[in-house]
Amino acid sequence: MDALTDLLPELWTAAYETLYIVALTLFFGGLGGLLVGLGLYLTRAGSILENKSLFFVLNLLVNFIRPIPFIIFLAAAQPLARAVTGSGIGNNAIIFTIALAASFAMARIVEQNLLTVTPGVIDAARSVGAGPIRIIFTVLLPEALGPLILGYTFIFVALVDMSAVAGYVGGGGLGNFALQYGYRQFNPIVTWAAVLLIIVLVQFVQFFGNWLARKALRR
């Protein structure tokens, strides 16, 4: 217990790093996932911007990247992360890699949630002359808002998991803290302190996401 008390400053720093990494990856990965997911929905057969070639490319890209285990994706994407951020390790490289992986996972969730929107609502908007941009922002996204919030909440939990795994390759945060000060120094109390902080963080965000989704569904 004394070891944990001595490590409290490092523990709070690691918690801050986890929040920093997850917040930025949720922003960039969520934005990328929204764009790719919208592209998948809009270009599929029978949709408002049907384009079979573009849908094939996007669908193939998502299906190619999503099954790759994240620990392998971290190593495989390291040269690209180095080219973009200037380093293959560290928080910036980790944020880039996690956001890239998350955007393809999020794209499929966005596409699936948009498919739940009743086609009659889209047809009604088209019948009164609404263009694709207007349909997207005034009908499609508002109608799917509740499920999308739940989808992004799910991805947030996955990002916390990814940030912990990234501790293996030089990323900061609670995963790295648990490895460096707990696992490698045979101190389970320190490891469990990091685990408990992660559980509290996930529970808080899950509760908030559920509450926000309920508000959106009842509007």
Side-chain angles (χ1 to χ4, degrees):
M1 199 66 187
D2 290 341
L4 178 60
T5 303
D6 294 338
L7 288 169
L8 279 179
E10 286 81 0
L11 178 62
W12 297 127
T13 300
Y16 167 77
E17 284 183 326
T18 292
L19 287 172
Y20 173 75
I21 292 170
V22 173
L24 287 181
T25 52
L26 182 64
F27 176 77
F28 291 114
L31 186 60
L34 182 63
L35 293 175
V36 177
L38 266 173
L40 284 166
Y41 174 83
L42 295 172
T43 58
R44 66 188 303 113
S47 194
I48 55 179
L49 293 174
E50 179 179 338
N51 186 321
K52 292 180 180 177
S53 299
L54 184 54
F55 176 80
F56 176 80
V57 172
L58 290 175
N59 196 46
L60 184 68
L61 197 59
V62 171
N63 284 343
F64 180 80
I65 300 220
R66 276 186 66 217
I68 303 175
F70 182 64
I71 190 71
I72 297 174
F73 186 81
L74 268 175
Q78 197 174 44
L80 182 60
R82 185 179 294 110
V84 174
T85 67
S87 174
I89 60 173
N91 286 342
N92 289 338
I94 294 305
I95 289 169
F96 172 81
T97 308
I98 295 178
L100 188 62
S103 63
F104 291 101
M106 194 65 223
R108 193 59 83 192
I109 293 174
V110 169
E111 181 201 18
Q112 290 171 353
N113 285 326
L114 293 180
L115 285 171
T116 65
V117 176
T118 307
V121 180
I122 307 295
D123 293 338
R126 296 172 79 174
S127 68
V128 296
I133 300 297
R134 188 173 178 184
I135 291 174
I136 291 170
F137 288 103
T138 62
V139 179
L140 191 60
L141 292 179
E143 286 292 325
L145 186 58
L148 282 175
I149 290 172
L150 291 176
Y152 275 89
T153 304
F154 174 81
I155 282 294
F156 179 91
V157 177
L159 292 177
V160 173
D161 184 36
M162 288 179 179
S163 72
V165 173
Y168 274 108
V169 293
L174 290 168
N176 180 56
F177 175 86
L179 285 172
Q180 185 176 348
Y181 297 107
Y183 177 73
R184 290 172 183 161
Q185 297 185 21
F186 306 101
N187 198 333
I189 291 179
V190 173
T191 303
W192 274 102
V195 170
L196 287 174
L197 264 183
I198 291 173
I199 291 173
V200 169
L201 174 63
V202 167
Q203 293 301 314
F204 174 77
V205 172
Q206 186 68 60
F207 176 81
F208 179 70
N210 291 345
W211 174 80
L212 208 57
R214 282 197 300 272
K215 297 282 283 185
L217 289 169
R218 291 174 182 169
R219 71 189 190 282

PDB file of all heavy atoms in Angstrom, residues 60-69 73 100-101 104:
ATOM      1  N   LEU A  60     -14.861  -2.609 -49.020  1.00  0.00           N
ATOM      2  CA  LEU A  60     -13.664  -3.452 -49.013  1.00  0.00           C
ATOM      3  C   LEU A  60     -12.638  -2.932 -47.996  1.00  0.00           C
ATOM      4  O   LEU A  60     -12.033  -3.712 -47.250  1.00  0.00           O
ATOM      5  CB  LEU A  60     -13.048  -3.467 -50.421  1.00  0.00           C
ATOM      6  CG  LEU A  60     -11.832  -4.369 -50.615  1.00  0.00           C
ATOM      7  CD1 LEU A  60     -12.240  -5.839 -50.497  1.00  0.00           C
ATOM      8  CD2 LEU A  60     -11.191  -4.123 -51.984  1.00  0.00           C
ATOM      9  N   LEU A  61     -12.474  -1.612 -47.938  1.00  0.00           N
ATOM     10  CA  LEU A  61     -11.514  -0.996 -47.018  1.00  0.00           C
ATOM     11  C   LEU A  61     -11.885  -1.286 -45.562  1.00  0.00           C
ATOM     12  O   LEU A  61     -11.037  -1.670 -44.742  1.00  0.00           O
ATOM     13  CB  LEU A  61     -11.489   0.514 -47.266  1.00  0.00           C
ATOM     14  CG  LEU A  61     -10.305   1.303 -46.722  1.00  0.00           C
ATOM     15  CD1 LEU A  61      -8.990   0.789 -47.301  1.00  0.00           C
ATOM     16  CD2 LEU A  61     -10.470   2.787 -47.042  1.00  0.00           C
ATOM     17  N   VAL A  62     -13.156  -1.107 -45.238  1.00  0.00           N
ATOM     18  CA  VAL A  62     -13.626  -1.350 -43.865  1.00  0.00           C
ATOM     19  C   VAL A  62     -13.470  -2.830 -43.508  1.00  0.00           C
ATOM     20  O   VAL A  62     -12.987  -3.175 -42.420  1.00  0.00           O
ATOM     21  CB  VAL A  62     -15.087  -0.897 -43.710  1.00  0.00           C
ATOM     22  CG1 VAL A  62     -15.635  -1.342 -42.358  1.00  0.00           C
ATOM     23  CG2 VAL A  62     -15.196   0.617 -43.847  1.00  0.00           C
ATOM     24  N   ASN A  63     -13.871  -3.701 -44.442  1.00  0.00           N
ATOM     25  CA  ASN A  63     -13.777  -5.146 -44.173  1.00  0.00           C
ATOM     26  C   ASN A  63     -12.322  -5.612 -44.069  1.00  0.00           C
ATOM     27  O   ASN A  63     -12.037  -6.606 -43.402  1.00  0.00           O
ATOM     28  CB  ASN A  63     -14.482  -5.931 -45.278  1.00  0.00           C
ATOM     29  CG  ASN A  63     -15.987  -5.865 -45.143  1.00  0.00           C
ATOM     30  OD1 ASN A  63     -16.502  -5.506 -44.093  1.00  0.00           O
ATOM     31  ND2 ASN A  63     -16.686  -6.166 -46.216  1.00  0.00           N
ATOM     32  N   PHE A  64     -11.398  -4.902 -44.726  1.00  0.00           N
ATOM     33  CA  PHE A  64      -9.983  -5.273 -44.687  1.00  0.00           C
ATOM     34  C   PHE A  64      -9.328  -4.878 -43.365  1.00  0.00           C
ATOM     35  O   PHE A  64      -8.550  -5.629 -42.783  1.00  0.00           O
ATOM     36  CB  PHE A  64      -9.254  -4.587 -45.855  1.00  0.00           C
ATOM     37  CG  PHE A  64      -7.786  -4.903 -45.912  1.00  0.00           C
ATOM     38  CD1 PHE A  64      -7.344  -6.112 -46.456  1.00  0.00           C
ATOM     39  CD2 PHE A  64      -6.835  -4.013 -45.418  1.00  0.00           C
ATOM     40  CE1 PHE A  64      -5.990  -6.417 -46.498  1.00  0.00           C
ATOM     41  CE2 PHE A  64      -5.489  -4.312 -45.462  1.00  0.00           C
ATOM     42  CZ  PHE A  64      -5.059  -5.511 -46.004  1.00  0.00           C
ATOM     43  N   ILE A  65      -9.673  -3.701 -42.852  1.00  0.00           N
ATOM     44  CA  ILE A  65      -8.985  -3.187 -41.654  1.00  0.00           C
ATOM     45  C   ILE A  65      -9.612  -3.680 -40.354  1.00  0.00           C
ATOM     46  O   ILE A  65      -8.903  -3.969 -39.393  1.00  0.00           O
ATOM     47  CB  ILE A  65      -8.983  -1.650 -41.685  1.00  0.00           C
ATOM     48  CG1 ILE A  65      -8.240  -1.206 -42.941  1.00  0.00           C
ATOM     49  CG2 ILE A  65      -8.413  -1.069 -40.396  1.00  0.00           C
ATOM     50  CD1 ILE A  65      -7.356  -0.082 -42.887  1.00  0.00           C
ATOM     51  N   ARG A  66     -10.950  -3.768 -40.323  1.00  0.00           N
ATOM     52  CA  ARG A  66     -11.627  -4.099 -39.056  1.00  0.00           C
ATOM     53  C   ARG A  66     -11.178  -5.409 -38.412  1.00  0.00           C
ATOM     54  O   ARG A  66     -11.014  -5.474 -37.187  1.00  0.00           O
ATOM     55  CB  ARG A  66     -13.144  -4.152 -39.282  1.00  0.00           C
ATOM     56  CG  ARG A  66     -13.811  -2.775 -39.200  1.00  0.00           C
ATOM     57  CD  ARG A  66     -15.307  -2.909 -39.275  1.00  0.00           C
ATOM     58  NE  ARG A  66     -15.828  -3.603 -38.121  1.00  0.00           N
ATOM     59  CZ  ARG A  66     -16.846  -4.463 -38.155  1.00  0.00           C
ATOM     60  NH1 ARG A  66     -17.421  -4.755 -39.291  1.00  0.00           N
ATOM     61  NH2 ARG A  66     -17.288  -5.026 -37.068  1.00  0.00           N
ATOM     62  N   PRO A  67     -10.942  -6.496 -39.174  1.00  0.00           N
ATOM     63  CA  PRO A  67     -10.601  -7.762 -38.498  1.00  0.00           C
ATOM     64  C   PRO A  67      -9.175  -7.818 -37.939  1.00  0.00           C
ATOM     65  O   PRO A  67      -8.849  -8.762 -37.217  1.00  0.00           O
ATOM     66  CB  PRO A  67     -10.765  -8.813 -39.624  1.00  0.00           C
ATOM     67  CG  PRO A  67     -11.499  -8.131 -40.722  1.00  0.00           C
ATOM     68  CD  PRO A  67     -11.145  -6.693 -40.613  1.00  0.00           C
ATOM     69  N   ILE A  68      -8.313  -6.847 -38.261  1.00  0.00           N
ATOM     70  CA  ILE A  68      -6.923  -6.916 -37.805  1.00  0.00           C
ATOM     71  C   ILE A  68      -6.867  -6.709 -36.291  1.00  0.00           C
ATOM     72  O   ILE A  68      -7.337  -5.675 -35.798  1.00  0.00           O
ATOM     73  CB  ILE A  68      -6.059  -5.845 -38.505  1.00  0.00           C
ATOM     74  CG1 ILE A  68      -6.128  -6.015 -40.024  1.00  0.00           C
ATOM     75  CG2 ILE A  68      -4.613  -5.928 -38.026  1.00  0.00           C
ATOM     76  CD1 ILE A  68      -5.404  -4.929 -40.794  1.00  0.00           C
ATOM     77  N   PRO A  69      -6.304  -7.640 -35.535  1.00  0.00           N
ATOM     78  CA  PRO A  69      -6.178  -7.438 -34.075  1.00  0.00           C
ATOM     79  C   PRO A  69      -5.402  -6.147 -33.783  1.00  0.00           C
ATOM     80  O   PRO A  69      -4.401  -5.858 -34.466  1.00  0.00           O
ATOM     81  CB  PRO A  69      -5.398  -8.680 -33.621  1.00  0.00           C
ATOM     82  CG  PRO A  69      -5.689  -9.701 -34.671  1.00  0.00           C
ATOM     83  CD  PRO A  69      -5.790  -8.941 -35.962  1.00  0.00           C
ATOM     84  N   PHE A  73      -2.167  -4.319 -35.491  1.00  0.00           N
ATOM     85  CA  PHE A  73      -2.375  -3.075 -36.235  1.00  0.00           C
ATOM     86  C   PHE A  73      -1.422  -1.990 -35.740  1.00  0.00           C
ATOM     87  O   PHE A  73      -0.908  -1.185 -36.533  1.00  0.00           O
ATOM     88  CB  PHE A  73      -3.831  -2.621 -36.081  1.00  0.00           C
ATOM     89  CG  PHE A  73      -4.186  -1.434 -36.931  1.00  0.00           C
ATOM     90  CD1 PHE A  73      -4.497  -1.600 -38.267  1.00  0.00           C
ATOM     91  CD2 PHE A  73      -4.203  -0.153 -36.395  1.00  0.00           C
ATOM     92  CE1 PHE A  73      -4.824  -0.506 -39.065  1.00  0.00           C
ATOM     93  CE2 PHE A  73      -4.523   0.938 -37.175  1.00  0.00           C
ATOM     94  CZ  PHE A  73      -4.841   0.761 -38.513  1.00  0.00           C
ATOM     95  N   LEU A 100      -7.106   5.980 -36.341  1.00  0.00           N
ATOM     96  CA  LEU A 100      -7.220   5.317 -37.645  1.00  0.00           C
ATOM     97  C   LEU A 100      -8.002   4.006 -37.511  1.00  0.00           C
ATOM     98  O   LEU A 100      -8.923   3.741 -38.295  1.00  0.00           O
ATOM     99  CB  LEU A 100      -5.815   5.047 -38.195  1.00  0.00           C
ATOM    100  CG  LEU A 100      -5.729   4.533 -39.635  1.00  0.00           C
ATOM    101  CD1 LEU A 100      -6.310   5.562 -40.602  1.00  0.00           C
ATOM    102  CD2 LEU A 100      -4.275   4.222 -40.001  1.00  0.00           C
ATOM    103  N   ALA A 101      -7.648   3.210 -36.511  1.00  0.00           N
ATOM    104  CA  ALA A 101      -8.349   1.934 -36.304  1.00  0.00           C
ATOM    105  C   ALA A 101      -9.806   2.173 -35.921  1.00  0.00           C
ATOM    106  O   ALA A 101     -10.717   1.490 -36.410  1.00  0.00           O
ATOM    107  CB  ALA A 101      -7.639   1.125 -35.216  1.00  0.00           C
ATOM    108  N   PHE A 104     -12.536   3.070 -38.765  1.00  0.00           N
ATOM    109  CA  PHE A 104     -13.124   1.991 -39.571  1.00  0.00           C
ATOM    110  C   PHE A 104     -14.122   1.171 -38.747  1.00  0.00           C
ATOM    111  O   PHE A 104     -15.119   0.694 -39.284  1.00  0.00           O
ATOM    112  CB  PHE A 104     -12.018   1.108 -40.145  1.00  0.00           C
ATOM    113  CG  PHE A 104     -11.207   1.821 -41.188  1.00  0.00           C
ATOM    114  CD1 PHE A 104      -9.968   2.353 -40.882  1.00  0.00           C
ATOM    115  CD2 PHE A 104     -11.707   1.996 -42.461  1.00  0.00           C
ATOM    116  CE1 PHE A 104      -9.226   3.036 -41.835  1.00  0.00           C
ATOM    117  CE2 PHE A 104     -10.978   2.682 -43.435  1.00  0.00           C
ATOM    118  CZ  PHE A 104      -9.735   3.209 -43.119  1.00  0.00           C
TER     119      PHE A 104
END
